[in-house]
Amino acid sequence: MIDSRGITVEPMDEHNRRLVELVHPPDWKNPTPKSRYHLVVAGAGTAGLVAAAGAAGLGARVALIERHLMGGDCLNTGCVPSKAILRSARALGEFRDASRFGVNISGAVAADFPAVMDRMRRIRADISPADSAERFTRECGVEVFFGNARFTGPDAIDVDGTTLRFSRALIATGARAATLPIEGLESAGYLTNETVFSLTELPRRLAVIGGGPIGCELAQAFRAFGSEVTVIEAAGQILGREDPDAARILRARMTAEGVRFMLGAKLKGVRAESGQRVLTIETHGDTEAVATDEILLAVGRTPNVEGLGLEAAGVAFDPAKGVQVDDTLQTTNPRIFAAGDVCMAQKFTHAADFAARIVIQNALFSAGRFGRKKLSALTIPWCTYTHPEVAHVGLYEAEARARGIDFQTFVQEFAHVDRAITDGDTEGFVRILAQPRSGRILGATIVGRNAGDLISEITLAMTQGVTLGKIAHVIHPYPTQADAIRRLGDQFNRARVTPGLMRWMERYLRQRFR
């Protein structure tokens, strides 16, 4: 992809032309600016779009600036394209595994990789009208400017020579794929989530640098399509922030599918040789050369703070951590706020969405500190969309121990849940941490099919004060995977039956029915 008015998204087929026409129209003419806006938003990713539409819907004069493609990472290089190809990989796995369910499929089952990517591009284009310049202008009442945003003062921002003045501003410029200062890496060339979806041919061999969510999702998908995949991770486990048991289950599944893992590994250098890339990997003191056709770099995100003129606006920032904000998402300039990947540790679309809602309230509808909302008050779940999925919300056991919080852990294995057994999806578990007496839920991890959907029931319980014991009284349809959550409520209630209470009930029953 390239910046400015000559936007292209490779391959420039009918789907990508339709995408660009909607989210960065080549013939777009920026409007004549108002004398002053209530809110100017820099960046049209999730945080920027939610803030712009929400504020305009409440009567504010809003300008939205985007230098590249509206929709940001989520639409163009993240959630939408990745989940589209993950669905193709899952369909392929189901066909290959069909004999386990008594279904015989004659002939070879294989991925048509160009068709998979064509479907992904079509779906992305189909979804893009929701994030389009036309919709935000006509339906939402937002003035859309395409160009490079640069602050020129505490209440002014320049868009390619045009000055917009504001009462409040939001920095929502997102983040980009991080790189590594490894000898030979740049010259050898590599893919990131920003370029991997432009592939039209399946690489025979793929080396994935980084075993986090992006690395694991794409490693599993490309292995299903037929690539020989090696995941190289510096830490001792994949999904380093997750429950170790969850990471082990996923690693075992991916290993069985043919993905090779090199954990505790350091990438020492890369060289191009005879039409391939050769990676020098050091693992536990041993050095190995790994040959590959493509490298996918998935080692985190770097905030987009360069070229914004933040110094002129009095906004403090760190090139690695992003824009400095307080718990209300206000920067060191009281007029300017930030939200999303440019300033937040939790770089998820849904986190950016709800952070933007906080900014609308705090920037436009609060009086001083009165009426302000805090980022720390949000309960944010997340999910890695591998097979099985890994979802989490709240505290992990290690975090609870470190904080000195008293808790009990309740676990339900899917191997003992009837719906999981009938579906053949017995890998994984539901694990819930709760306070021993009250049953207040402190956190949960789910590993299994549709874990990302299941985690929402627990998130709702946490935010609305529904205890684990009360969940036991919520009737769940039988058979469902969600019944595993209800069973944990039963476990909690049984744990509260003390020996003394049991003796009292025994005496009561003997007296009543003698």
Side-chain angles (χ1 to χ4, degrees):
M1 299 181 183
I2 60 176
D3 289 329
S4 79
R5 298 300 172 134
I7 294 288
T8 62
V9 181
E10 297 299 333
M12 205 62 179
D13 62 359
E14 59 174 317
H15 306 311
N16 282 344
R17 280 194 295 272
R18 183 157 57 101
L19 173 73
V20 171
E21 287 169 0
L22 287 165
V23 297
H24 194 138
D27 57 351
W28 187 264
K29 290 181 174 56
N30 287 338
T32 301
K34 298 285 195 298
S35 58
R36 183 176 290 271
Y37 292 92
H38 295 119
L39 180 67
V40 170
V41 180
T46 298
L49 294 176
V50 171
L58 294 171
R61 291 191 304 274
V62 180
L64 175 64
I65 307 166
E66 175 54 52
R67 67 174 182 172
H68 200 213
L69 300 175
M70 294 180 67
D73 279 350
C74 183
L75 173 66
N76 298 292
T77 61
C79 309
V80 171
S82 66
K83 302 314 167 279
I85 70 166
L86 287 173
R87 181 63 185 92
S88 295
R90 190 168 77 246
L92 188 60
E94 288 169 348
F95 276 111
R96 287 173 174 166
D97 206 27
S99 62
R100 190 160 63 97
F101 300 93
V103 177
N104 296 318
I105 298 175
S106 60
V109 177
D112 181 345
F113 187 74
V116 167
M117 301 305 278
D118 180 82
R119 174 182 179 273
M120 176 273 294
R121 295 191 297 272
R122 174 176 56 78
I123 288 172
R124 182 170 59 184
D126 288 346
I127 291 175
S128 65
D131 295 345
S132 67
E134 180 179 5
R135 174 178 177 265
F136 270 74
T137 299
R138 294 188 179 181
E139 295 183 20
C140 302
V142 174
E143 294 191 3
V144 177
F145 292 79
F146 284 104
N148 294 296
R150 181 176 58 84
F151 288 95
T152 56
D155 65 346
I157 192 167
D158 175 89
V159 185
D160 293 346
T162 299
T163 297
L164 309 183
R165 295 199 172 275
F166 57 81
S167 297
R168 298 291 184 270
L170 170 64
I171 301 168
T173 50
R176 62 188 184 278
T179 187
L180 292 174
I182 302 298
E183 181 180 356
L185 181 60
E186 289 291 335
S187 59
Y190 57 87
L191 301 167
T192 68
N193 73 294
E194 295 164 9
T195 55
V196 69
F197 300 113
S198 295
L199 289 177
T200 56
E201 294 184 7
L202 180 69
R204 185 173 68 85
R205 297 168 299 180
L206 177 67
V208 179
I209 312 300
I214 294 173
C216 286
E217 288 179 2
L218 293 179
Q220 191 173 42
F222 274 80
R223 178 58 194 145
F225 297 144
S227 296
E228 297 175 13
V229 179
T230 301
V231 175
I232 300 154
E233 168 58 48
Q237 75 167 53
I238 60 172
L239 302 183
R241 70 185 299 176
E242 297 294 350
D243 183 309
D245 291 337
R248 279 192 290 270
I249 289 173
L250 178 59
R251 179 187 170 191
R253 175 60 180 255
M254 292 176 65
T255 299
E257 293 170 347
V259 175
R260 181 192 180 197
F261 288 96
M262 301 179 71
L263 303 182
K266 295 181 180 179
L267 178 60
K268 307 297 289 185
V270 181
R271 67 181 186 275
E273 181 181 284
S274 303
Q276 63 183 1
R277 285 102 166 166
V278 179
L279 289 69
T280 302
I281 310 294
E282 183 181 290
T283 308
H284 307 302
D286 296 326
T287 301
E288 179 180 345
V290 176
T292 189
D293 299 297
E294 292 284 0
I295 299 170
L296 173 63
L297 198 60
V299 291
R301 311 287 290 164
T302 298
N304 293 321
V305 293
E306 297 83 359
L308 292 176
L310 297 178
E311 298 89 347
V315 174
F317 68 95
D318 180 280
K321 297 180 180 179
V323 173
Q324 179 182 320
V325 293
D326 63 14
D327 200 19
T328 68
L329 294 173
Q330 189 174 51
T331 72
T332 49
N333 179 336
R335 295 175 177 265
I336 301 175
F337 293 75
D341 291 4
V342 74
C343 65
M344 294 165 56
Q346 293 182 317
K347 301 185 188 305
F348 310 119
T349 293
H350 48 285
D353 180 327
F354 278 78
R357 298 164 193 250
I358 289 175
V359 169
I360 295 172
Q361 171 68 27
N362 294 347
L364 301 178
F365 297 103
S366 65
R369 310 306 293 184
F370 179 75
R372 290 212 164 184
K373 296 182 177 180
K374 294 183 178 182
L375 181 66
S376 60
L378 296 181
T379 300
I380 302 174
W382 59 81
C383 182
T384 299
Y385 296 92
T386 46
H387 182 66
E389 293 180 355
V390 179
H392 181 81
V393 65
L395 296 178
Y396 294 98
E397 289 182 330
E399 290 177 317
R401 291 191 192 97
R403 298 183 189 184
I405 297 174
D406 191 19
F407 68 92
Q408 285 180 289
T409 300
F410 299 89
V411 180
Q412 176 62 62
E413 304 281 349
F414 280 120
H416 304 292
V417 175
D418 292 355
R419 179 57 184 272
I421 295 170
T422 60
D423 283 355
D425 288 317
T426 55
E427 293 171 303
F429 56 82
V430 180
R431 174 174 291 160
I432 294 180
L433 278 61
Q435 289 184 333
R437 292 189 177 182
S438 69
R440 184 171 74 90
I441 299 173
L442 303 172
T445 296
I446 303 179
V447 183
R449 184 184 286 270
N450 301 323
D453 294 305
L454 296 175
I455 200 72
S456 293
E457 179 178 354
I458 301 173
T459 306
L460 177 64
M462 292 176 66
T463 58
Q464 300 306 310
V466 177
T467 65
L468 184 54
K470 288 181 179 179
I471 288 179
H473 304 297
V474 176
I475 300 174
H476 290 62
Y478 174 87
T480 58
Q481 287 180 308
D483 194 47
I485 300 173
R486 183 198 58 78
R487 290 188 183 191
L488 292 181
D490 285 340
Q491 283 188 29
F492 173 80
N493 288 333
R494 285 194 297 270
R496 296 178 68 190
V497 178
T498 65
L501 179 59
M502 181 63 73
R503 289 192 295 271
W504 180 88
M505 288 189 293
E506 289 174 350
R507 289 195 300 270
Y508 170 80
L509 291 172
R510 283 197 302 268
Q511 292 174 359
R512 180 173 182 181
F513 297 105
R514 60 186 174 182

